[in-house]
Amino acid sequence: MNSLKRQILIFTVISAAIMELIDISIVNVALSHMSGNLGSTLADTSWVVTSYAIANVIVIPMSSFLSTSLGRRTYYIGSVILFTICSFMCGNASNIWVLVFFRFLQGLGGGALLSVSQTIMFELFPKEKQSMASALFGLGVFIGPTIGPTLGGFITENFSWPWIFYINIPVGIAVILSCLLLLQESPIKQTVKKIDWTGILLLIIGVSTLQTVLERGQEEDWFDTTYITVFTVIAIAAITLFIIWELQVDEPVVNLRVFKSRTLTVAAILTFITGIGMFTSVYLTPVFAQRLLGFTPLETGLLLLPGSFFALLSLIISGRLLQNGLSPVVMIVIGFTLFIYFSYTMATLSTDASAQLISGNLIYRAVGIALLTVPLTMLAVSTLEMKDIPQGAALNNMMRQLGGSFGIAIVNTYTARRSAYHRNHLVADLNPDNPAVTERLNGYAHYFLSHGSTPGTAHQRALGLLEYGVVKQSTLLSYLDSFALVGILFLACLPLLFMVQKRNTPALALKNIQDH
């Protein structure tokens, strides 16, 4: 393959990965519009998000098995075709459950666009430039979740929600044509003698019920809802049986034996925590900016823009540093430290925070995540045999996605409960014997009286305004607590790096990947 064709194919697979990752979060800001347009409740409409996440997490760990069974070229192109067709069908859905159905199928197609794209990227670069391949792929991993909500908000405000799905169609067609012309079969030929149907069934049951619990738990008040309780029991049982079965069967659908590598295990845990940080920060920051500071979706998107530029530079720099022999462990420590600092700065904000201050804080977040993306990928596969690298990469990607799901479920619940805690604490000080409360209420009432309200109405409005202040302050404090919680999680996981096997080096990682 000549240089031009190789560059086109590199751009193609990165575009496919970005498209898949954008679709994880692009619909979040359009749920209310979908709900009104399709005549459904917001709770039903949220299944548009849940169904895609379930399908993604099911397929990603199976991508190595499916590539081997169907042939990587066939599986990859077929997945892009499925993703593109289902994007069109989602935009044309006549009711909410048709949309949820095609959104699930879209997620099944999208599952290949992450792990398989990453494997293709590794093969397209010579050994001495493998770290740059990781850096370029990391760019897609970072950009997708970051710009998804902003792009969704822009499209919803200026067009209509179906265009959130229609924008995938030209990109999908371009990826299909490029892959038909340029993508070749994997140089490593493997065969599947027997399909592990038991493993597939247990994986589907376990992951789908677990993802449903994580996505819907807070809205359904967790274990006060019967189906959440039942799904939790099923998820625990199915995943436990899945692990036992996969470790015993000769040809498992997901080769969990790769976790014998202590380094992969540590990298997967750190990738899980990174997923928590990546997705929760993108979730919390826009909500904080729009709900408490009154920013529009476009203004919120602009907050993330400077960080994206710095992330791009950091990905390139990190790739070059690793290429020159810097230990991935050093890069990971720096990345975790920057994200911890970001969490600390966000946990000290107030409702007077300026856009410049938040945007500056987000640069630390962007650079931190960017410096983690490449080293964690290289660390994950650095001690694996050639044949196990696709499975290791797939499991590592799955851990990032699961981290995002767990993280958002955790911060949703934590934010709600901390908000209630802070509200109770604040209300406890609001009594008639408190001179400050009396003075504030009288000031509010006087304002409304001066604008034509009757004494009774002015008093009620004054109480309402005081209530608004309590809600706003308790909400603020709950978001600050959530940022602090994520920072503490990052800090608590740093000692895991001491468990990394000493023989891991960037050079070894590059050799393994190149051999693959």
Side-chain angles (χ1 to χ4, degrees), residues 1-13 124-125 178 181-183:
M1 184 181 295
N2 63 41
S3 177
L4 177 60
K5 290 182 178 180
R6 187 176 66 86
Q7 291 174 13
I8 293 173
L9 187 55
I10 289 169
F11 180 78
T12 297
V13 297
L124 291 173
F125 279 77
S178 177
L181 294 172
L182 302 175
L183 182 62

Side-chain angles (χ1 to χ4, degrees), residues 25-69:
S25 57
I26 194 172
V27 303
N28 291 3
V29 296
L31 292 179
S32 59
H33 292 79
M34 294 178 184
S35 177
N37 186 256
L38 297 174
S40 60
T41 65
L42 194 58
D44 287 342
T45 308
S46 64
W47 280 101
V48 175
V49 177
T50 304
S51 60
Y52 186 88
I54 290 172
N56 249 210
V57 179
I58 289 173
V59 170
I60 287 175
M62 293 175 57
S63 59
S64 176
F65 163 78
L66 293 171
S67 292
T68 302
S69 301

